[in-house]
Amino acid sequence: MRANPNLGTRLRNLSDKNAFAKRSATQRARRRFAAASLTRNEGEDAYEAVRQATAHLSKYERGDVMSRMFVAIAEGRLRLSDARARVDEFLADQRHRPRVYGDYSLNSPVGDEDGVTWLDTKTDADRLWA
């Protein structure tokens, strides 16, 4: 390494990059299971914390914000004790990207004339319960 410092620098950079990838993979593997706060008390603690945090929101936004918060809790990005303090963050994200999970309602028409909805185009294989 002393004879060729450029090689030493490249090896150190590659080693750091590999170590970061390994740490990231380890952290992702830990997140495969829902956070303990969702599984403890059958999720009632988490539901109550999120419900109280979002009580002031309008009924049109509350459900979506609550869903985003539950996903964050499951991924370990949100602690129950921080739910009330961080609700505005999730509300801003909902307002910024309201249709992140799709642009069309299943009840909206596919075309202009025939009255066929997107739901009519789905088969049993497309459904979650199939």
Side-chain angles (χ1 to χ4, degrees):
M1 304 281 170
R2 292 181 190 176
N4 193 345
N6 288 339
L7 180 62
T9 302
R10 290 183 76 185
L11 286 175
R12 239 184 271 90
N13 290 341
L14 285 173
S15 176
D16 291 343
K17 184 178 177 181
N18 288 339
F20 177 76
K22 179 67 175 169
R23 281 192 306 270
S24 297
T26 302
Q27 289 173 350
R28 278 194 306 272
R30 283 189 214 138
R31 301 265 187 242
R32 284 190 190 149
F33 302 104
S37 53
L38 281 180
T39 57
R40 183 176 45 248
N41 198 15
E42 295 186 8
E44 290 182 29
D45 296 338
Y47 179 78
E48 189 61 26
V50 171
R51 190 188 64 75
Q52 287 178 2
T54 59
H56 68 283
L57 299 179
S58 73
K59 65 180 182 179
Y60 303 108
E61 294 175 318
R62 187 178 308 127
D64 292 328
V65 173
M66 286 177 72
S67 297
R68 288 175 187 270
M69 291 178 82
F70 284 127
V71 169
I73 289 170
E75 292 175 347
R77 295 183 292 118
L78 176 65
R79 292 186 314 212
L80 296 184
S81 59
D82 297 339
R84 188 178 301 266
R86 293 184 56 196
V87 70
D88 292 334
E89 172 188 333
F90 290 93
L91 178 62
D93 187 47
Q94 170 61 25
R95 288 180 176 168
H96 178 67
R97 298 182 300 150
R99 293 182 297 261
V100 71
Y101 300 114
D103 287 337
Y104 299 104
S105 167
L106 290 176
N107 293 325
S108 64
V110 174
D112 292 331
E113 298 102 27
D114 54 4
V116 175
T117 64
W118 287 102
L119 185 61
D120 296 333
T121 64
K122 301 298 177 194
T123 64
D124 284 337
D126 296 328
R127 300 173 194 260
L128 292 174
W129 55 87

